[in-house]
Amino acid sequence: MGDRKYFGTDGIRGRANTLPMTAEVALRVGLAAGRLFMSQDDRRHLVVIGKDTRLSGYMIEPALVAGFASVGMDVRTFGPIPTPGVAMMTRSMRADLGVMISASHNDYADNGIKLFGPDGYKLSDETELTIEAMMDQPLDQGLAPSARLGRVKRIDEAPARYIEIAKAAFPKSLSLQGLRIAVDCANGAAYRVAPTTLFELGAEVCAVGVSPNGTNINADCGSTHPHTLAAAVKEYRADIGIALDGDADRLIICDEKGQIVDGDQIMAMIGLDWARRGRLTGGGVVATVMSNLGLERVLKAQDLTLERTSVGDRYVMERMRGGGFNLGGEQSGHLILHDYATTGDGLMAALQVLAVMVESGRPMSELARQFDPVPQLLKNVRYTAGKPLEAATVKAAIADGEARLNGTGRLLVRPSGTEKLIRVMAEGDDEALVRAVVADVSAAVQAAG
């Protein structure tokens, strides 16, 4: 992946108005992706574009639109809508391509471009590399004749369609009547759709993070700052709290006491509930190498597997599709419910949690601890040059750490995809041993880097 010029692990992302997140790069994406996804037949081709609430969306969107329209592709823009909504609408409207303009949980100064194929799934690495190669071609190449330029329209009802799809995923026999729900929309893409969906299903909704101004997305709110949600739950005496991130593909839950529930506990809760109903497919759940050992153990106790992938929701999705799984996700709150969505969807996942809660009649605090997490410690070690993971001293320290944790835990050492950082993570039943192993491996990395 090191040879990529524009695309990272999740589309193109960077600080707005600096490379690669400039209007010119967005224009080039539109030109290249438009040409690639226009087949040779004579029909009109369509791309749909959604965004979150960042100020820079006003710069990126018109540049993308210009690129697509100039190669002859029709464009439909949705305005603010969650990432999973764009994936759904790409399929629903039979578009050839879907685009989401968002930097997810990053602060407002960043932005990003994510692409979805006609099937609603994120593009493969190979397709992204093909687009990347085409992006450096001259700007006047492959343009449509004047009469074949794309037409552009704003579609105002896209968020309403997403709300209806979300509501349909909640069991018909249940209602949120009598529940008070605090929801933090991170001043992001779900600021209207999430509170509306919960209200229409019967809940009393106390919404925070629903006043976007272009620069306050994820600012001290949303799934990356759950203390804001915890405070709202206590203030409104809510039965449960739901925090989404800027593009609403992540979910963090908070119980009625203000205690945070991470993605691992949510996966256990939904997975075990679905398994009891015979709804879980694939014989288990897909998660990443970062998920807690406790999740693996609680699933194993029910004869269910935990399949692990490298970090990134696209890799979780690939394994889910390959193995016929319908539930997967990340500890950070990216939860993929394949029966309903082709990418992580915070609102859909929240509705499944609410269904379990309503049906059981138990408070969230009782449901929230599906397992006792095994002590887990993550340390980020900065390095300046070279490849410290290839040093013999680092390899020896990792082998030694694995031997010490043998059978009671695990060690994971991996480079960050976006910064000069080595992430050292260990977990195990013996907390002191976990701390010692992380310290020893980190020291070896530091000495080598």
mmCIF file of all heavy atoms in Angstrom, residues 217-243:
data_model
loop_
_atom_site.group_PDB
_atom_site.id
_atom_site.type_symbol
_atom_site.label_atom_id
_atom_site.label_comp_id
_atom_site.label_asym_id
_atom_site.label_seq_id
_atom_site.Cartn_x
_atom_site.Cartn_y
_atom_site.Cartn_z
ATOM 1 N N ILE A 217 -18.055 19.848 13.622
ATOM 2 C CA ILE A 217 -18.253 18.408 13.475
ATOM 3 C C ILE A 217 -17.219 17.665 14.327
ATOM 4 O O ILE A 217 -16.038 18.020 14.324
ATOM 5 C CB ILE A 217 -18.157 17.998 11.977
ATOM 6 C CG1 ILE A 217 -18.533 16.539 11.777
ATOM 7 C CG2 ILE A 217 -16.781 18.290 11.400
ATOM 8 C CD1 ILE A 217 -18.704 16.131 10.313
ATOM 9 N N ASN A 218 -17.664 16.696 15.107
ATOM 10 C CA ASN A 218 -16.816 15.897 16.008
ATOM 11 C C ASN A 218 -16.110 16.718 17.079
ATOM 12 O O ASN A 218 -15.243 16.190 17.781
ATOM 13 C CB ASN A 218 -15.731 15.116 15.228
ATOM 14 C CG ASN A 218 -16.316 14.152 14.215
ATOM 15 O OD1 ASN A 218 -17.254 13.436 14.511
ATOM 16 N ND2 ASN A 218 -15.761 14.143 13.011
ATOM 17 N N ALA A 219 -16.437 17.999 17.219
ATOM 18 C CA ALA A 219 -15.725 18.851 18.180
ATOM 19 C C ALA A 219 -16.260 18.594 19.583
ATOM 20 O O ALA A 219 -17.324 19.074 19.950
ATOM 21 C CB ALA A 219 -15.880 20.325 17.805
ATOM 22 N N ASP A 220 -15.514 17.805 20.355
ATOM 23 C CA ASP A 220 -15.891 17.502 21.731
ATOM 24 C C ASP A 220 -17.273 16.850 21.800
ATOM 25 O O ASP A 220 -18.034 17.087 22.739
ATOM 26 C CB ASP A 220 -15.856 18.784 22.582
ATOM 27 C CG ASP A 220 -15.349 18.475 23.991
ATOM 28 O OD1 ASP A 220 -14.699 17.429 24.155
ATOM 29 O OD2 ASP A 220 -15.634 19.251 24.909
ATOM 30 N N CYS A 221 -17.604 16.084 20.777
ATOM 31 C CA CYS A 221 -18.903 15.404 20.765
ATOM 32 C C CYS A 221 -18.803 14.167 19.878
ATOM 33 O O CYS A 221 -17.781 13.940 19.242
ATOM 34 C CB CYS A 221 -20.009 16.342 20.257
ATOM 35 S SG CYS A 221 -19.716 16.977 18.597
ATOM 36 N N GLY A 222 -19.853 13.366 19.851
ATOM 37 C CA GLY A 222 -19.874 12.182 18.999
ATOM 38 C C GLY A 222 -19.150 10.993 19.610
ATOM 39 O O GLY A 222 -18.724 11.033 20.760
ATOM 40 N N SER A 223 -18.989 9.945 18.802
ATOM 41 C CA SER A 223 -18.471 8.668 19.321
ATOM 42 C C SER A 223 -17.018 8.745 19.777
ATOM 43 O O SER A 223 -16.575 7.920 20.567
ATOM 44 C CB SER A 223 -18.606 7.582 18.252
ATOM 45 O OG SER A 223 -17.825 7.892 17.126
ATOM 46 N N THR A 224 -16.259 9.754 19.293
ATOM 47 C CA THR A 224 -14.862 9.865 19.723
ATOM 48 C C THR A 224 -14.718 10.660 21.025
ATOM 49 O O THR A 224 -13.662 10.667 21.631
ATOM 50 C CB THR A 224 -13.989 10.514 18.632
ATOM 51 O OG1 THR A 224 -14.750 11.539 17.999
ATOM 52 C CG2 THR A 224 -13.570 9.498 17.595
ATOM 53 N N HIS A 225 -15.787 11.333 21.451
ATOM 54 C CA HIS A 225 -15.780 12.068 22.736
ATOM 55 C C HIS A 225 -17.025 11.685 23.530
ATOM 56 O O HIS A 225 -17.912 12.513 23.751
ATOM 57 C CB HIS A 225 -15.754 13.580 22.492
ATOM 58 C CG HIS A 225 -14.582 14.032 21.672
ATOM 59 N ND1 HIS A 225 -13.334 14.217 22.202
ATOM 60 C CD2 HIS A 225 -14.468 14.300 20.352
ATOM 61 C CE1 HIS A 225 -12.495 14.587 21.240
ATOM 62 N NE2 HIS A 225 -13.165 14.638 20.104
ATOM 63 N N PRO A 226 -17.107 10.420 23.988
ATOM 64 C CA PRO A 226 -18.368 9.932 24.560
ATOM 65 C C PRO A 226 -18.746 10.566 25.901
ATOM 66 O O PRO A 226 -19.872 10.401 26.354
ATOM 67 C CB PRO A 226 -18.134 8.421 24.705
ATOM 68 C CG PRO A 226 -16.661 8.227 24.652
ATOM 69 C CD PRO A 226 -16.086 9.371 23.870
ATOM 70 N N HIS A 227 -17.823 11.332 26.504
ATOM 71 C CA HIS A 227 -18.166 11.980 27.786
ATOM 72 C C HIS A 227 -19.325 12.962 27.613
ATOM 73 O O HIS A 227 -20.113 13.186 28.536
ATOM 74 C CB HIS A 227 -16.939 12.684 28.385
ATOM 75 C CG HIS A 227 -16.290 13.668 27.458
ATOM 76 N ND1 HIS A 227 -16.697 14.978 27.366
ATOM 77 C CD2 HIS A 227 -15.286 13.517 26.557
ATOM 78 C CE1 HIS A 227 -15.964 15.599 26.456
ATOM 79 N NE2 HIS A 227 -15.111 14.751 25.949
ATOM 80 N N THR A 228 -19.438 13.556 26.415
ATOM 81 C CA THR A 228 -20.551 14.483 26.151
ATOM 82 C C THR A 228 -21.883 13.739 26.189
ATOM 83 O O THR A 228 -22.870 14.208 26.764
ATOM 84 C CB THR A 228 -20.361 15.163 24.774
ATOM 85 O OG1 THR A 228 -19.119 15.859 24.792
ATOM 86 C CG2 THR A 228 -21.480 16.154 24.478
ATOM 87 N N LEU A 229 -21.906 12.547 25.587
ATOM 88 C CA LEU A 229 -23.113 11.719 25.612
ATOM 89 C C LEU A 229 -23.426 11.279 27.041
ATOM 90 O O LEU A 229 -24.584 11.327 27.473
ATOM 91 C CB LEU A 229 -22.922 10.483 24.723
ATOM 92 C CG LEU A 229 -24.087 9.497 24.737
ATOM 93 C CD1 LEU A 229 -25.319 10.092 24.061
ATOM 94 C CD2 LEU A 229 -23.710 8.183 24.054
ATOM 95 N N ALA A 230 -22.388 10.854 27.774
ATOM 96 C CA ALA A 230 -22.590 10.400 29.164
ATOM 97 C C ALA A 230 -23.221 11.509 30.001
ATOM 98 O O ALA A 230 -24.144 11.265 30.792
ATOM 99 C CB ALA A 230 -21.258 9.952 29.761
ATOM 100 N N ALA A 231 -22.752 12.759 29.799
ATOM 101 C CA ALA A 231 -23.309 13.898 30.544
ATOM 102 C C ALA A 231 -24.770 14.127 30.145
ATOM 103 O O ALA A 231 -25.622 14.408 31.004
ATOM 104 C CB ALA A 231 -22.476 15.153 30.268
ATOM 105 N N ALA A 232 -25.076 13.970 28.844
ATOM 106 C CA ALA A 232 -26.453 14.168 28.373
ATOM 107 C C ALA A 232 -27.385 13.096 28.954
ATOM 108 O O ALA A 232 -28.518 13.389 29.342
ATOM 109 C CB ALA A 232 -26.488 14.126 26.840
ATOM 110 N N VAL A 233 -26.900 11.857 29.027
ATOM 111 C CA VAL A 233 -27.714 10.761 29.588
ATOM 112 C C VAL A 233 -28.092 11.086 31.031
ATOM 113 O O VAL A 233 -29.245 10.919 31.450
ATOM 114 C CB VAL A 233 -26.943 9.416 29.512
ATOM 115 C CG1 VAL A 233 -27.599 8.362 30.396
ATOM 116 C CG2 VAL A 233 -26.885 8.929 28.070
ATOM 117 N N LYS A 234 -27.112 11.580 31.798
ATOM 118 C CA LYS A 234 -27.383 11.905 33.211
ATOM 119 C C LYS A 234 -28.313 13.114 33.319
ATOM 120 O O LYS A 234 -29.251 13.127 34.111
ATOM 121 C CB LYS A 234 -26.066 12.169 33.942
ATOM 122 C CG LYS A 234 -25.262 10.897 34.178
ATOM 123 C CD LYS A 234 -23.926 11.208 34.832
ATOM 124 C CE LYS A 234 -23.126 9.932 35.027
ATOM 125 N NZ LYS A 234 -21.696 10.209 35.209
ATOM 126 N N GLU A 235 -28.034 14.115 32.496
ATOM 127 C CA GLU A 235 -28.839 15.354 32.561
ATOM 128 C C GLU A 235 -30.307 15.083 32.229
ATOM 129 O O GLU A 235 -31.213 15.590 32.886
ATOM 130 C CB GLU A 235 -28.259 16.387 31.579
ATOM 131 C CG GLU A 235 -29.005 17.722 31.615
ATOM 132 C CD GLU A 235 -28.565 18.682 30.502
ATOM 133 O OE1 GLU A 235 -27.462 18.490 29.943
ATOM 134 O OE2 GLU A 235 -29.322 19.620 30.208
ATOM 135 N N TYR A 236 -30.550 14.281 31.200
ATOM 136 C CA TYR A 236 -31.934 14.030 30.765
ATOM 137 C C TYR A 236 -32.526 12.774 31.410
ATOM 138 O O TYR A 236 -33.641 12.394 31.096
ATOM 139 C CB TYR A 236 -31.988 13.885 29.233
ATOM 140 C CG TYR A 236 -31.582 15.128 28.483
ATOM 141 C CD1 TYR A 236 -30.490 15.136 27.618
ATOM 142 C CD2 TYR A 236 -32.302 16.325 28.644
ATOM 143 C CE1 TYR A 236 -30.118 16.278 26.919
ATOM 144 C CE2 TYR A 236 -31.935 17.472 27.952
ATOM 145 C CZ TYR A 236 -30.843 17.445 27.096
ATOM 146 O OH TYR A 236 -30.485 18.587 26.415
ATOM 147 N N ARG A 237 -31.724 12.116 32.272
ATOM 148 C CA ARG A 237 -32.149 10.841 32.894
ATOM 149 C C ARG A 237 -32.649 9.874 31.822
ATOM 150 O O ARG A 237 -33.726 9.297 31.915
ATOM 151 C CB ARG A 237 -33.220 11.069 33.971
ATOM 152 C CG ARG A 237 -32.722 11.913 35.129
ATOM 153 C CD ARG A 237 -33.661 11.883 36.320
ATOM 154 N NE ARG A 237 -35.033 12.288 36.009
ATOM 155 C CZ ARG A 237 -35.411 13.534 35.774
ATOM 156 N NH1 ARG A 237 -34.526 14.515 35.815
ATOM 157 N NH2 ARG A 237 -36.675 13.816 35.504
ATOM 158 N N ALA A 238 -31.820 9.716 30.794
ATOM 159 C CA ALA A 238 -32.196 8.863 29.654
ATOM 160 C C ALA A 238 -32.000 7.389 29.991
ATOM 161 O O ALA A 238 -31.213 7.042 30.879
ATOM 162 C CB ALA A 238 -31.361 9.241 28.430
ATOM 163 N N ASP A 239 -32.717 6.524 29.269
ATOM 164 C CA ASP A 239 -32.589 5.077 29.461
ATOM 165 C C ASP A 239 -31.358 4.522 28.739
ATOM 166 O O ASP A 239 -30.851 3.462 29.087
ATOM 167 C CB ASP A 239 -33.842 4.370 28.920
ATOM 168 C CG ASP A 239 -35.098 4.828 29.648
ATOM 169 O OD1 ASP A 239 -35.173 4.611 30.867
ATOM 170 O OD2 ASP A 239 -35.982 5.413 28.992
ATOM 171 N N ILE A 240 -30.930 5.241 27.726
ATOM 172 C CA ILE A 240 -29.773 4.801 26.937
ATOM 173 C C ILE A 240 -29.246 6.001 26.164
ATOM 174 O O ILE A 240 -29.994 6.940 25.862
ATOM 175 C CB ILE A 240 -30.175 3.664 25.944
ATOM 176 C CG1 ILE A 240 -28.952 3.108 25.186
ATOM 177 C CG2 ILE A 240 -31.240 4.127 24.954
ATOM 178 C CD1 ILE A 240 -29.262 1.887 24.320
ATOM 179 N N GLY A 241 -27.959 5.984 25.854
ATOM 180 C CA GLY A 241 -27.358 7.033 25.033
ATOM 181 C C GLY A 241 -26.749 6.432 23.789
ATOM 182 O O GLY A 241 -26.201 5.324 23.817
ATOM 183 N N ILE A 242 -26.858 7.146 22.672
ATOM 184 C CA ILE A 242 -26.334 6.695 21.382
ATOM 185 C C ILE A 242 -25.445 7.804 20.827
ATOM 186 O O ILE A 242 -25.913 8.929 20.657
ATOM 187 C CB ILE A 242 -27.501 6.437 20.398
ATOM 188 C CG1 ILE A 242 -28.334 5.245 20.866
ATOM 189 C CG2 ILE A 242 -26.994 6.229 18.973
ATOM 190 C CD1 ILE A 242 -29.683 5.155 20.181
ATOM 191 N N ALA A 243 -24.169 7.484 20.569
ATOM 192 C CA ALA A 243 -23.273 8.476 19.960
ATOM 193 C C ALA A 243 -22.823 7.980 18.599
ATOM 194 O O ALA A 243 -22.373 6.836 18.457
ATOM 195 C CB ALA A 243 -22.061 8.726 20.847
#
